[in-house]
Amino acid sequence: MDLTLPLLAVGAFFAGTVDAVVGGGGLIQIPLLFSTFPQASPGTLFGTNKLASVLGTTSAAVQYSRRLSIPWRAAAPAALAAAAGSWLGARTVVLFPPAALRPLILILLTAVAAYTFIRKDFGAHHQRLADASREQRIAVTIGAAVGFYDGFFGPGTGSFLIFLFIRFLGMDFLHASVSAKIINVATNLAAIGVFVAHGEVFWQVAAIMGACNLLGSRLGTALALRHGTTFIRKAFLLVVVVLILRFSFDTFLA
């Protein structure tokens, strides 16, 4: 009995759950796809991952928007910039392998984890910047940079967005998480456009994983809204630590 699709479905469900709370769904889906289809090109697997993720990410953004006041002043321009960055990043995947980024990403993730752990009040309060134009400039810079990374590589995108929105835009974990979801929708759609145009998607696999990712996303969103900022902070630290371990293994042991 071939258990390939059931295993991918279960993985996508858990990826959707985690991603809806703090991002990091790619940490589950991408290694799962690479181990299942070792002969496939990276572009095909990244494209399949994006297509499988976009339903869950969109669902999370919609569910959050029904319960929270969305910081559109920052989220909207960041999403536009992120879409452009993601499109460029996805185009770059075709040119050279993204694995070269692993050591740098490992350093950044370690810094994020240390800063969040030391600052006990980090992300506990939602206090927007008073200067609207400055807020938009920062949001566009964050969106473009992280959007490029998401299109090019992907794992940890949501975690980076949440950290940067809290650190530089004064959001709490809950509002940073919903803003990250809006931007992830934009980056996923932009990257999907590139991968689909190059014919690099496993459609059947993406459809099955996308449906399960959607179900997991609904569970993750409900947990985040119910338990709030403290829960998201703990989940954020857990996901970042797992990302560090994964990147350490891939960089030094694989």
Side-chain angles (χ1 to χ4, degrees), residues 161-217:
L161 285 170
I162 290 171
F163 176 82
L164 293 171
F165 281 149
I166 295 172
R167 175 64 181 83
F168 295 105
L169 296 179
M171 296 182 187
D172 60 15
F173 268 103
L174 195 55
H175 286 84
S177 184
V178 65
S179 299
K181 295 298 160 291
I182 293 169
I183 290 162
N184 271 151
V185 172
T187 58
N188 283 345
L189 289 175
I192 286 169
V194 174
F195 291 125
V196 169
H198 286 81
E200 296 186 304
V201 172
F202 289 148
W203 289 99
Q204 182 184 8
V205 172
I208 293 172
M209 293 181 69
C212 295
N213 190 281
L214 172 62
L215 294 174
S217 175

Coordinates of all heavy atoms in Angstrom, one line a residue, residues 161-217:
L161 N 8.8 37.6 9.6 CA 7.9 38.7 9.5 C 7.3 39.1 10.9 O 7.3 40.3 11.2 CB 6.7 38.3 8.6 CG 7.0 38.3 7.1 CD1 5.8 37.7 6.4 CD2 7.2 39.7 6.6
I162 N 6.9 38.2 11.7 CA 6.4 38.5 13.0 C 7.5 39.2 13.9 O 7.2 40.2 14.5 CB 6.0 37.1 13.7 CG1 4.7 36.6 13.0 CG2 5.7 37.4 15.2 CD1 4.3 35.2 13.5
F163 N 8.7 38.7 13.9 CA 9.7 39.3 14.7 C 10.0 40.8 14.2 O 10.1 41.7 15.1 CB 11.0 38.5 14.5 CG 12.2 39.1 15.2 CD1 12.4 39.0 16.6 CD2 13.1 39.9 14.6 CE1 13.5 39.5 17.3 CE2 14.2 40.5 15.2 CZ 14.4 40.3 16.6
L164 N 10.1 41.0 12.9 CA 10.4 42.3 12.4 C 9.2 43.3 12.6 O 9.4 44.5 12.9 CB 10.7 42.3 10.9 CG 12.0 41.5 10.6 CD1 12.2 41.3 9.1 CD2 13.2 42.3 11.2
F165 N 8.0 42.8 12.5 CA 6.8 43.7 12.8 C 6.8 44.1 14.2 O 6.4 45.2 14.6 CB 5.5 43.0 12.4 CG 5.3 43.0 10.9 CD1 4.6 41.9 10.3 CD2 5.7 44.0 10.1 CE1 4.4 41.9 8.9 CE2 5.5 44.0 8.8 CZ 4.8 43.0 8.2
I166 N 7.1 43.2 15.1 CA 7.1 43.6 16.6 C 8.3 44.5 16.9 O 8.1 45.5 17.5 CB 7.3 42.3 17.4 CG1 6.0 41.4 17.2 CG2 7.4 42.6 18.9 CD1 6.1 40.0 17.9
R167 N 9.5 44.1 16.4 CA 10.7 44.9 16.7 C 10.7 46.3 16.1 O 11.0 47.3 16.8 CB 11.9 44.1 16.2 CG 13.2 44.9 16.4 CD 13.6 45.1 17.8 NE 14.8 45.8 18.0 CZ 14.9 47.1 17.9 NH1 13.9 47.9 17.7 NH2 16.1 47.7 18.1
F168 N 10.2 46.5 14.9 CA 10.3 47.8 14.2 C 9.0 48.5 14.1 O 9.0 49.7 13.8 CB 11.0 47.6 12.9 CG 12.4 47.1 12.9 CD1 12.7 45.8 12.6 CD2 13.4 48.0 13.3 CE1 14.0 45.4 12.7 CE2 14.7 47.6 13.4 CZ 15.0 46.3 13.1
L169 N 7.9 47.8 14.2 CA 6.6 48.5 14.0 C 5.7 48.5 15.3 O 4.6 49.1 15.3 CB 5.8 47.9 12.9 CG 6.4 48.0 11.5 CD1 5.6 47.3 10.5 CD2 6.6 49.4 11.1
G170 N 6.3 48.0 16.4 CA 5.6 48.1 17.7 C 4.3 47.2 17.8 O 3.5 47.5 18.7
M171 N 4.1 46.2 17.0 CA 3.0 45.3 17.1 C 3.1 44.3 18.2 O 4.2 44.0 18.7 CB 2.7 44.6 15.8 CG 2.4 45.5 14.6 SD 2.0 44.5 13.1 CE 1.9 45.8 11.9
D172 N 2.0 43.8 18.7 CA 2.1 42.6 19.6 C 2.1 41.3 18.7 O 2.0 41.4 17.5 CB 1.0 42.6 20.6 CG -0.4 42.5 20.0 OD1 -0.5 42.2 18.8 OD2 -1.4 42.8 20.6
F173 N 2.3 40.2 19.4 CA 2.4 38.9 18.6 C 1.1 38.6 17.8 O 1.2 38.1 16.7 CB 2.7 37.8 19.6 CG 4.1 37.5 19.8 CD1 4.8 37.9 20.9 CD2 4.9 36.9 18.8 CE1 6.1 37.7 21.1 CE2 6.2 36.6 19.0 CZ 6.9 37.0 20.1
L174 N 0.0 38.9 18.4 CA -1.3 38.6 17.7 C -1.4 39.4 16.4 O -1.7 38.9 15.3 CB -2.5 38.8 18.6 CG -3.8 38.2 18.1 CD1 -3.6 36.7 17.9 CD2 -4.9 38.4 19.2
H175 N -1.2 40.8 16.5 CA -1.4 41.6 15.3 C -0.2 41.4 14.3 O -0.4 41.5 13.1 CB -1.4 43.1 15.7 CG -2.7 43.5 16.3 ND1 -3.0 43.3 17.7 CD2 -3.8 44.0 15.8 CE1 -4.2 43.7 18.0 NE2 -4.7 44.2 16.9
A176 N 1.0 41.1 14.8 CA 2.1 40.8 13.9 C 1.8 39.5 13.2 O 2.1 39.3 12.0 CB 3.4 40.6 14.7
S177 N 1.2 38.5 13.8 CA 0.8 37.2 13.2 C -0.2 37.4 12.0 O 0.0 36.9 11.0 CB 0.3 36.2 14.2 OG 0.1 35.0 13.6
V178 N -1.2 38.2 12.3 CA -2.2 38.4 11.2 C -1.6 39.2 10.1 O -1.9 38.9 8.9 CB -3.5 39.1 11.8 CG1 -3.2 40.5 12.3 CG2 -4.6 39.1 10.7
S179 N -0.8 40.2 10.4 CA -0.1 40.9 9.3 C 0.8 40.0 8.5 O 0.8 40.1 7.2 CB 0.7 42.1 9.9 OG -0.1 43.0 10.6
A180 N 1.5 39.1 9.2 CA 2.3 38.1 8.4 C 1.5 37.3 7.5 O 1.9 36.9 6.4 CB 3.1 37.3 9.4
K181 N 0.3 36.9 7.9 CA -0.6 36.1 7.1 C -1.0 36.8 5.8 O -1.0 36.2 4.7 CB -1.8 35.6 7.8 CG -1.6 34.7 9.0 CD -0.9 33.4 8.6 CE -0.2 32.8 9.7 NZ 1.0 33.5 10.2
I182 N -1.3 38.1 5.9 CA -1.7 38.9 4.8 C -0.5 38.9 3.8 O -0.7 38.8 2.5 CB -2.1 40.3 5.2 CG1 -3.5 40.1 6.0 CG2 -2.3 41.2 4.0 CD1 -3.9 41.4 6.7
I183 N 0.6 39.1 4.3 CA 1.8 39.3 3.4 C 2.2 37.9 2.8 O 2.6 37.8 1.6 CB 3.0 39.8 4.2 CG1 2.7 41.3 4.5 CG2 4.3 39.7 3.5 CD1 3.5 41.9 5.6
N184 N 2.0 36.8 3.6 CA 2.3 35.5 3.1 C 1.3 35.1 1.9 O 1.8 34.4 1.0 CB 2.1 34.4 4.2 CG 3.4 34.2 4.9 OD1 3.4 33.8 6.1 ND2 4.5 34.4 4.3
V185 N 0.1 35.6 2.0 CA -0.8 35.4 0.9 C -0.3 36.0 -0.4 O -0.2 35.4 -1.5 CB -2.2 35.9 1.2 CG1 -3.1 35.9 -0.1 CG2 -2.9 35.1 2.3
A186 N 0.2 37.3 -0.3 CA 0.7 38.0 -1.4 C 2.0 37.3 -2.0 O 2.1 37.1 -3.2 CB 1.0 39.4 -1.0
T187 N 2.9 36.9 -1.1 CA 4.1 36.3 -1.5 C 3.9 34.9 -2.2 O 4.5 34.5 -3.2 CB 5.1 36.1 -0.4 OG1 4.6 35.3 0.7 CG2 5.5 37.4 0.2
N188 N 2.9 34.1 -1.6 CA 2.6 32.8 -2.2 C 2.0 33.0 -3.6 O 2.4 32.2 -4.5 CB 1.6 32.1 -1.3 CG 2.3 31.5 0.0 OD1 3.5 31.4 0.0 ND2 1.5 31.1 0.9
L189 N 1.1 33.9 -3.7 CA 0.5 34.1 -5.1 C 1.5 34.5 -6.1 O 1.5 34.0 -7.2 CB -0.6 35.1 -5.0 CG -1.9 34.6 -4.2 CD1 -2.9 35.8 -4.1 CD2 -2.6 33.5 -4.9
A190 N 2.4 35.4 -5.7 CA 3.4 35.9 -6.7 C 4.4 34.8 -7.0 O 4.7 34.6 -8.2 CB 4.2 37.0 -6.0
A191 N 4.8 34.0 -6.1 CA 5.7 32.9 -6.3 C 5.0 31.8 -7.2 O 5.6 31.2 -8.1 CB 6.2 32.2 -5.0
I192 N 3.7 31.5 -6.9 CA 3.0 30.5 -7.6 C 2.9 30.9 -9.1 O 3.0 30.1 -10.0 CB 1.6 30.4 -7.0 CG1 1.6 29.6 -5.7 CG2 0.6 29.6 -8.0 CD1 0.3 29.6 -4.9
G193 N 2.7 32.2 -9.3 CA 2.6 32.7 -10.7 C 3.9 32.3 -11.5 O 3.8 31.9 -12.7
V194 N 5.0 32.4 -10.9 CA 6.3 32.1 -11.5 C 6.4 30.6 -11.7 O 6.8 30.1 -12.8 CB 7.5 32.6 -10.7 CG1 8.8 32.2 -11.3 CG2 7.5 34.1 -10.6
F195 N 6.2 29.8 -10.7 CA 6.4 28.4 -10.8 C 5.4 27.7 -11.8 O 5.8 26.8 -12.5 CB 6.2 27.7 -9.4 CG 7.4 28.1 -8.5 CD1 7.1 28.7 -7.2 CD2 8.7 27.9 -8.8 CE1 8.1 29.0 -6.3 CE2 9.7 28.2 -7.9 CZ 9.4 28.7 -6.7
V196 N 4.1 28.2 -11.7 CA 3.1 27.6 -12.7 C 3.5 28.0 -14.1 O 3.4 27.2 -15.0 CB 1.7 28.2 -12.3 CG1 0.7 27.8 -13.4 CG2 1.3 27.6 -11.0
A197 N 4.0 29.2 -14.3 CA 4.4 29.6 -15.7 C 5.5 28.7 -16.2 O 5.6 28.5 -17.4 CB 4.8 31.1 -15.7
H198 N 6.3 28.2 -15.3 CA 7.4 27.3 -15.8 C 7.0 25.9 -15.7 O 7.8 25.0 -16.0 CB 8.6 27.5 -14.9 CG 9.4 28.8 -15.2 ND1 9.0 30.0 -14.7 CD2 10.5 29.1 -15.9 CE1 9.8 31.0 -15.1 NE2 10.7 30.4 -15.9
G199 N 5.7 25.6 -15.4 CA 5.2 24.2 -15.4 C 5.8 23.4 -14.2 O 5.8 22.2 -14.3
E200 N 6.2 24.1 -13.2 CA 6.9 23.4 -12.1 C 6.0 23.2 -10.9 O 6.2 23.8 -9.8 CB 8.2 24.1 -11.7 CG 9.2 24.2 -12.8 CD 10.5 24.8 -12.4 OE1 10.5 25.9 -11.9 OE2 11.5 24.1 -12.6
V201 N 4.9 22.4 -11.0 CA 4.0 22.1 -9.9 C 3.5 20.7 -10.0 O 3.1 20.3 -11.1 CB 2.8 23.1 -9.9 CG1 1.8 22.7 -8.8 CG2 3.3 24.5 -9.5
F202 N 3.4 19.9 -8.9 CA 2.7 18.7 -8.9 C 1.3 19.0 -8.5 O 1.0 19.1 -7.3 CB 3.4 17.7 -7.9 CG 4.7 17.2 -8.3 CD1 5.7 16.9 -7.3 CD2 5.0 16.9 -9.6 CE1 6.9 16.4 -7.7 CE2 6.3 16.4 -10.0 CZ 7.2 16.2 -9.0
W203 N 0.4 19.0 -9.5 CA -0.9 19.5 -9.2 C -1.7 18.6 -8.3 O -2.4 19.1 -7.4 CB -1.7 19.7 -10.6 CG -1.2 20.8 -11.4 CD1 -0.3 20.8 -12.4 CD2 -1.5 22.2 -11.2 NE1 0.0 22.1 -12.9 CE2 -0.7 23.0 -12.1 CE3 -2.3 22.9 -10.3 CZ2 -0.8 24.3 -12.2 CZ3 -2.3 24.3 -10.4 CH2 -1.6 25.0 -11.3
Q204 N -1.7 17.3 -8.5 CA -2.5 16.4 -7.6 C -2.0 16.5 -6.2 O -2.8 16.6 -5.2 CB -2.4 15.0 -8.1 CG -3.2 14.0 -7.3 CD -3.1 12.6 -7.8 OE1 -2.3 12.3 -8.6 NE2 -3.9 11.7 -7.2
V205 N -0.7 16.5 -6.0 CA -0.1 16.5 -4.7 C -0.5 17.9 -4.0 O -0.8 17.9 -2.8 CB 1.4 16.4 -4.8 CG1 2.1 16.6 -3.4 CG2 1.8 15.0 -5.3
A206 N -0.3 19.0 -4.8 CA -0.6 20.3 -4.2 C -2.1 20.4 -3.8 O -2.4 21.0 -2.8 CB -0.3 21.4 -5.3
A207 N -3.0 19.8 -4.6 CA -4.5 19.9 -4.3 C -4.8 19.1 -3.0 O -5.5 19.7 -2.1 CB -5.3 19.3 -5.4
I208 N -4.2 17.9 -2.8 CA -4.4 17.2 -1.6 C -3.8 17.9 -0.4 O -4.5 18.0 0.7 CB -3.9 15.7 -1.7 CG1 -4.7 15.0 -2.8 CG2 -3.9 15.0 -0.4 CD1 -4.1 13.7 -3.2
M209 N -2.6 18.3 -0.5 CA -1.9 19.0 0.6 C -2.6 20.3 0.9 O -2.7 20.7 2.1 CB -0.4 19.2 0.3 CG 0.4 17.9 0.2 SD 2.1 18.2 -0.2 CE 2.7 19.0 1.4
G210 N -3.1 21.0 -0.1 CA -3.7 22.3 0.1 C -5.0 22.1 0.9 O -5.3 22.9 1.8
A211 N -5.8 21.1 0.6 CA -7.0 20.9 1.4 C -6.7 20.6 2.9 O -7.4 21.1 3.8 CB -7.8 19.7 0.8
C212 N -5.7 19.8 3.1 CA -5.3 19.4 4.5 C -4.7 20.6 5.2 O -4.9 20.9 6.4 CB -4.3 18.3 4.5 SG -5.1 16.7 3.9
N213 N -3.9 21.4 4.4 CA -3.3 22.6 5.0 C -4.4 23.6 5.4 O -4.3 24.2 6.5 CB -2.4 23.3 4.0 CG -1.5 24.4 4.5 OD1 -2.0 25.5 4.7 ND2 -0.3 24.1 4.8
L214 N -5.4 23.7 4.7 CA -6.6 24.5 5.0 C -7.2 24.1 6.3 O -7.5 24.9 7.2 CB -7.6 24.5 3.8 CG -8.9 25.2 4.1 CD1 -8.7 26.7 4.3 CD2 -9.9 25.0 2.9
L215 N -7.5 22.8 6.5 CA -8.1 22.3 7.7 C -7.2 22.6 8.9 O -7.6 23.0 10.0 CB -8.3 20.8 7.6 CG -9.4 20.4 6.5 CD1 -9.4 18.9 6.4 CD2 -10.7 20.9 6.9
G216 N -5.9 22.4 8.7 CA -4.9 22.7 9.8 C -4.9 24.1 10.2 O -4.8 24.5 11.3
S217 N -5.0 25.0 9.1 CA -5.0 26.4 9.3 C -6.1 26.9 10.2 O -6.0 27.8 11.1 CB -5.0 27.1 8.0 OG -5.1 28.5 8.2

